[in-house]
Amino acid sequence: MMWTQLLLTCVAVASMGVQSHDVNTTVEKLEDIEKDLKVIKETLGNCQNDPEENRRQLHLGESWKNPAWSCDEIAERKVDKESGWHWIQSCKNCDSRLTYCDFDRELMGRKNWIRALHLNMSDPQQPCPSSSFRLVTQDGLRLCGRSNGPGCKSVIANTNNLPYQRVCGRATMFRYHTTDGFERYEYCPGCTIEDPYIDGLSITYGYSGRRKHVWSFAIHGSDCSVDAKPNFVGKNYFCNGAVSHHHDELYSHDPLFTDQWFCVQLPQPTTERLEMRLCSDQDVDNEDALFQLVELYVQ
C-alpha cells in the first residue's frame, strides 16, 4: 500500500509539472521523491533484516527493558511520540529510569525537553513536596510555603542523572508580609549562595557547599531597584513586588512572575543535582514566599 501511494504521488507531481510547463520544478520534485524513496527502502531493508530492532523502535522507551538513550532519540525514531513518561537509560551500564519527555514545548528554539520538576498546587491532588513545606489555603488558592524558618527549604529536581546543559523554568508566587528581595544581603557581608540570600525562590545546581547559581525569583515589597544583588546572581533574576495596604496578610490578589520564563545555558554539560530552594531570612510568621506553580526543564 505504501509503495502504491508513493507511486501515485510521483505521477501526480509529474502531471502538475507538465500542466504548468515548469519542467525544472518537476524534475526537482521528482529528485526529492527519489531521495525519500531511497531512505524508506533502506529503512524497510533494515527492519526486514533485523525484526528485533524493528520491534524495539516501535516500542522505544515504553518499558524499562526497552529504554531510549534520550528524549531526542524517541523524537527522532518514533512517529507517534507523545509527551509523557518514558524509560531513559543515560549510559550502557546505567539503570533505566522513568523520565518525563516534553516533545511539544519549545524553549530556546528547541523541543524534546526533560521536565525535571512540576509542582502545580492548583491541582487539588498535588501535595506540598515534603514536610519541610506547609500548605496554605486562602481565597480559593492552594499554595506552598516554608514549614518554619528562617532559612531555605529544598526540593531536588528529577533529572535522573542525565547530562544537561540548558535549564528553563517558571514560577507563580505570592508574597506574605515583609519580604524584601535581596535587600537583607546588604547587611550580611559574609553570606554566600549557601545562605538565605533572598526572600523568594533560588534555582541552583551542585551539592551543598558548592552550589552554583542558575536563577533567582526575588519578592520585594515595592521597589526592586534598591536591592543590593549578590555578585553570583548577576543578571539571572526576576524581581517583583506585591503592593498592598494590609501588611499582615497574604497578598492573594497579586500573583507574581506569571508567565515569566527564564532560560540559561550552563558553561558545560553536568549531571549535578538541580535544586529549588524557597528562602527567607525571617520566620514564617514575619514573612514568606509562597509558590503556586514551579516548573523546571533541562536539556
Side-chain angles (χ1 to χ4, degrees), residues 1-289:
M1 186 66 175
M2 179 186 294
W3 291 106
T4 303
Q5 291 175 340
L6 289 170
L7 288 171
L8 288 173
T9 303
C10 294
V11 173
V13 173
S15 299
M16 287 188 293
V18 172
Q19 290 170 6
S20 62
H21 304 290
D22 190 351
V23 177
N24 291 333
T25 301
T26 303
V27 170
E28 291 174 0
K29 289 181 178 179
L30 289 172
E31 288 176 347
D32 290 339
I33 291 172
E34 184 180 8
K35 292 177 183 177
D36 291 340
L37 287 171
K38 184 178 180 181
V39 171
I40 292 171
K41 184 178 179 181
E42 290 175 353
T43 303
L44 288 173
N46 291 336
C47 293
Q48 290 169 354
N49 294 333
D50 191 351
E52 183 61 33
E53 178 64 17
N54 184 28
R55 283 192 293 273
R56 179 181 182 273
Q57 300 304 332
L58 287 173
H59 302 286
L60 188 64
E62 294 179 10
S63 76
W64 65 271
K65 294 182 178 180
N66 187 26
W69 294 116
S70 65
C71 294
D72 279 329
E73 185 188 17
I74 295 174
E76 290 171 3
R77 296 183 180 274
K78 291 192 70 173
V79 177
D80 59 343
K81 62 185 180 294
E82 293 183 358
S83 295
W85 294 98
H86 301 269
W87 289 93
I88 304 294
Q89 184 179 18
S90 60
C91 65
K92 186 175 181 179
N93 296 320
C94 298
D95 293 332
S96 57
R97 300 181 181 183
L98 268 178
T99 304
Y100 192 98
C101 297
D102 192 319
F103 301 118
D104 305 308
R105 191 180 302 279
E106 185 170 324
L107 301 165
M108 301 179 76
R110 298 168 174 268
K111 291 187 177 181
N112 310 330
W113 290 81
I114 295 171
R115 192 179 74 184
L117 185 64
H118 178 75
L119 297 171
N120 183 6
M121 299 311 301
S122 296
D123 180 355
Q125 304 302 316
Q126 173 74 62
C128 288
S130 74
S131 59
S132 297
F133 298 84
R134 76 188 196 283
L135 178 65
V136 176
T137 57
Q138 182 175 318
D139 299 329
L141 296 172
R142 296 179 76 253
L143 310 171
C144 282
R146 296 171 299 132
S147 59
N148 51 50
C152 298
K153 304 301 181 183
S154 170
V155 179
I156 305 301
N158 183 25
T159 61
N160 276 341
N161 204 37
L162 296 168
Y164 63 93
Q165 191 173 7
R166 302 173 189 87
V167 183
C168 292
R170 62 173 174 167
T172 300
M173 304 188 69
F174 290 82
R175 179 191 181 208
Y176 174 73
H177 206 1
T178 60
T179 56
D180 40 29
F182 298 113
E183 192 170 298
R184 290 294 177 183
Y185 186 80
E186 184 177 358
Y187 307 104
C188 184
C191 289
T192 70
I193 194 171
E194 307 296 332
D195 302 300
Y197 68 90
I198 186 176
D199 289 346
L201 193 67
S202 170
I203 310 298
T204 59
Y205 69 103
Y207 292 94
S208 178
R210 45 191 176 91
R211 291 182 174 97
K212 295 170 279 292
H213 184 254
V214 177
W215 203 267
S216 292
F217 293 81
I219 301 179
H220 199 282
S222 56
D223 185 4
C224 291
S225 64
V226 301
D227 282 349
K229 293 177 287 294
N231 289 334
F232 58 77
V233 169
K235 296 181 180 180
N236 289 7
Y237 73 94
F238 294 137
C239 186
N240 213 328
V243 181
S244 172
H245 299 296
H246 304 286
H247 296 287
D248 57 347
E249 295 180 357
L250 169 69
Y251 295 28
S252 59
H253 300 291
D254 197 353
L256 306 175
F257 313 113
T258 304
D259 295 326
Q260 285 187 271
W261 283 85
F262 77 84
C263 284
V264 172
Q265 179 147 332
L266 306 181
Q268 59 190 19
T270 183
T271 57
E272 293 184 277
R273 73 179 191 179
L274 182 65
E275 184 178 16
M276 177 205 93
R277 290 187 298 158
L278 197 61
C279 301
S280 183
D281 65 326
Q282 297 183 36
D283 193 85
V284 295
D285 292 335
N286 295 325
E287 63 184 16
D288 204 4

